[in-house]
Structures are given as structure tokens and as C-alpha cells.
């Protein structure tokens, strides 16, 4: 598909087939560190795709990757879907789990949307709170002078997102920092080893069934909190990575 043929409704419909949404996009500049689409073919526009709430759960939980019992099912599902969408759009896909070197998805996200770091390290969205994620990006090659503004003038995709309120600035009680049973989150960052040790030693802890209690404590966008099965999946995946924190 040529960039001149790309239609916003088509892109949104393509993403929606997988429970995904177009999270934003922008005209690429050198400091964005976006690789070439192909050797010698510069990338002009970057589109970011991801989930809001548990939007992907119905599709993903019925996928081959989810059912096959192999490692990293969500990454493998994202790779399959992202590569297929990139082929359809005539671009190239990049993933947050590709690396090292790692793509700067946090930087790209803040170029595409008005996001701010939260005390938990997750980017706070003005509408979705902490209940969103990025699954992949698709870079479209330079074709003439077509860029994000000309491709999608009705969407507000912009090189500089419009500033909006940062919910954390007005949250005096910071419940996200108070509820963790081992105080793994603080102004100094996230103590992953302390969190990991607690989860390993307390297999019946609420965290295993509900998901991260600190994240759940955030008062923003409670209607988008992950469904129980979705939350348990993410906690199970996190716990499966814990052995690297221990030597015994």
C-alpha cells in the first residue's frame, strides 16, 4: 500500500481487528532514532499501536501464541500482528522487546501523545491513566513530501502533542506509593528485587490474583483497569522472569 492510499479509517479498522488502537504518530526527525525502513530507504512517518485497558485480551487470549505454552506469548503475538500490519501498510515494524539496542519507545510515546512519567515509572495518559501499553511501531518510508500532517490532517497527529494536565501533579495522597506491601516504589524508583522476593515468597498474595496493587491504587481511569484474567496473565509473565534476580 502506498502512503497516498493510506486512509485513517482503514488504519483504525486494521488495528481494531486485533483489539489494538492507533496511539498516535509523528513526522520523524533525526533525534527520534528511527531506523531506515529498508537499507537506503528513509523512514518519514512513525505510527504507534497499542492497547487501552483490556482491549486486546479477547483476541490475544484466543490466539495460537497464548495457547501453545511457549515463552513470551504476548511478544510473539505482537510480532506476528505487527509484521502483518507493516506489510499491509508498506512500512516496517519495530517492537519494544527488540534489543539490545532497544528502540526508545518511551521517547516515541511522548512525541506521539501527551504523556508524563508516573511515580511507578509507567507513563500516565490523560484519559487512560496507567491502563495502556504500546505493542509496536510502524515506520512508513518517505514518498514525495507526504508526512503525518498530510496523511492524517483530521486526527491531530502532530510533531508536538498538545500539553494537557498531568494527573500526578494534583494527586496529593499518592496511593500508588502507599499500598505496596513491601514499598517497592518510592521517589528513588522501583526496587524490582524487593518486589520479586515478595512475590516468590508469598504465592497467595493479592498481587498474584489482582495484579500490581500499586497500579490498581491509582484513581485515574478505574474503568480501564485490566480484566482479572488479563491482570493475572501479566503477573504470571512477570513472575516467570524472576529467577534472574536470584542465585539460589
Amino acid at each position: 500500500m502506498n502512503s497516498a492510499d493510506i486512509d485513517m479509517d482503514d488504519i483504525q479498522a486494521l488495528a481494531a481487528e486485533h483489539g489494538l488502537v492507533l496511539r498516535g504518530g509523528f513526522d520523524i526527525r533525526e533525534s527520534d532514532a528511527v531506523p531506515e525502513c529498508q537499507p537506503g530507504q528513509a523512514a518519514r512517518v512513525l505510527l504507534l499501536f497499542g492497547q487501552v485497558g483490556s482491549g486486546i485480551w479477547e483476541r490475544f487470549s484466543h490466539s495460537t501464541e497464548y495457547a501453545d505454552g511457549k515463552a513470551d506469548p504476548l511478544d510473539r503475538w505482537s510480532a506476528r500482528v505487527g509484521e502483518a500490519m507493516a506489510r499491509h501498510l508498506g512500512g516496517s515494524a519495530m517492537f519494544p522487546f527488540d534489543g539490545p539496542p532497544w528502540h526508545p519507545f518511551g521517547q516515541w510515546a511522548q512525541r506521539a501523545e501527551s504523556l508524563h512519567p508516573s511515580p511507578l515509572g509507567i507513563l500516565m495518559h490523560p484519559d487512560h491513566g496507567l491502563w495502556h501499553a504500546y505493542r509496536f511501531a510502524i515506520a512508513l518510508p518517505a514518498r514525495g513530501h507526504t508526512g503525518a500532517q498530510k496523511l492524517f490532517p483530521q486526527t491531530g497527529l502532530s510533531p508536538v502533542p498538545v500539553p494537557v494536565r498531568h494527573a500526578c501533579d494534583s494527586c496529593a495522597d499518592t496511593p500508588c506509593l502507599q499500598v505496596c506491601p513491601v514499598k517497592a516504589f518510592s521517589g528513588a524508583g522501583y526496587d524490582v528485587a524487593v518486589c520479586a522476593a515478595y512475590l516468590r515468597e508469598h504465592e497467595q498474595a493479592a498481587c498474584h490474583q489482582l495484579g500490581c496493587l500499586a497500579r490498581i491504587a491509582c484513581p485515574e481511569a478505574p474503568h480501564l483497569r485490566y480484566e482479572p484474567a488479563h491482570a493475572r496473565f501479566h503477573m504470571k509473565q512477570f513472575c516467570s522472569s524472576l529467577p534472574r534476580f536470584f542465585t539460589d
Side-chain angles (χ1 to χ4, degrees):
M1 176 180 288
N2 294 324
S3 61
D5 301 326
I6 294 174
D7 177 82
M8 176 54 61
D9 290 338
D10 290 342
I11 291 180
Q12 292 175 331
L14 183 63
E17 290 177 10
H18 308 285
L20 296 163
V21 295
L22 173 61
R23 298 293 308 275
F26 53 84
D27 289 328
I28 295 167
R29 57 194 182 194
E30 186 175 352
S31 60
D32 293 319
V34 177
E36 294 178 331
C37 290
Q38 300 292 336
Q41 185 181 51
R44 175 61 181 261
V45 174
L46 192 72
L47 305 178
L48 277 78
F49 294 87
Q51 69 197 56
V52 172
S54 287
I56 67 166
W57 185 246
E58 176 67 21
R59 278 75 168 185
F60 168 63
S61 63
H62 288 86
S63 70
T64 300
E65 291 85 358
Y66 180 81
D68 65 15
K70 299 178 182 178
D72 304 317
L74 185 53
D75 288 352
R76 292 186 290 112
W77 178 86
S78 298
R80 175 172 61 81
V81 172
E83 293 289 359
M85 288 181 59
R87 287 193 298 272
H88 181 81
L89 296 174
S92 59
M94 289 155 285
F95 304 91
F97 47 81
D98 277 345
W102 310 101
H103 297 299
F105 266 79
Q107 173 186 322
W108 294 347
Q110 292 177 84
R111 282 267 280 127
E113 299 185 87
S114 292
L115 302 170
H116 301 273
S118 72
L120 303 186
I122 304 169
L123 291 170
M124 173 66 72
H125 189 281
D127 298 317
H128 313 322
L130 301 178
W131 303 103
H132 63 100
Y134 296 89
R135 301 261 64 95
F136 53 84
I138 294 177
L140 302 179
R143 296 186 176 101
H145 297 288
T146 303
Q149 294 280 0
K150 293 182 179 180
L151 279 175
F152 316 121
Q154 73 275 32
T155 68
L157 295 184
S158 169
V160 181
V162 178
V164 296
R165 75 180 183 99
H166 180 15
C168 298
D169 288 344
S170 59
C171 184
D173 296 333
T174 58
C176 62
L177 298 182
Q178 312 306 321
V179 71
C180 176
V182 289
K183 306 299 182 186
F185 299 97
S186 69
Y190 170 41
D191 192 334
V192 64
V194 166
C195 173
Y198 177 80
L199 291 171
R200 188 182 70 159
E201 296 166 7
H202 298 81
E203 295 183 358
Q204 301 304 314
C207 315
H208 286 284
Q209 295 301 313
L210 303 176
C212 175
L213 300 183
R215 192 176 190 179
I216 293 171
C218 177
E220 291 293 309
H223 62 292
L224 292 177
R225 290 172 182 161
Y226 292 163
E227 296 175 10
H230 188 186
R232 287 194 294 272
F233 166 80
H234 279 297
M235 186 57 69
K236 181 179 179 180
Q237 293 300 301
F238 174 67
C239 289
S240 70
S241 71
L242 297 186
R244 71 175 183 269
F245 296 107
F246 305 99
T247 58
D248 59 347

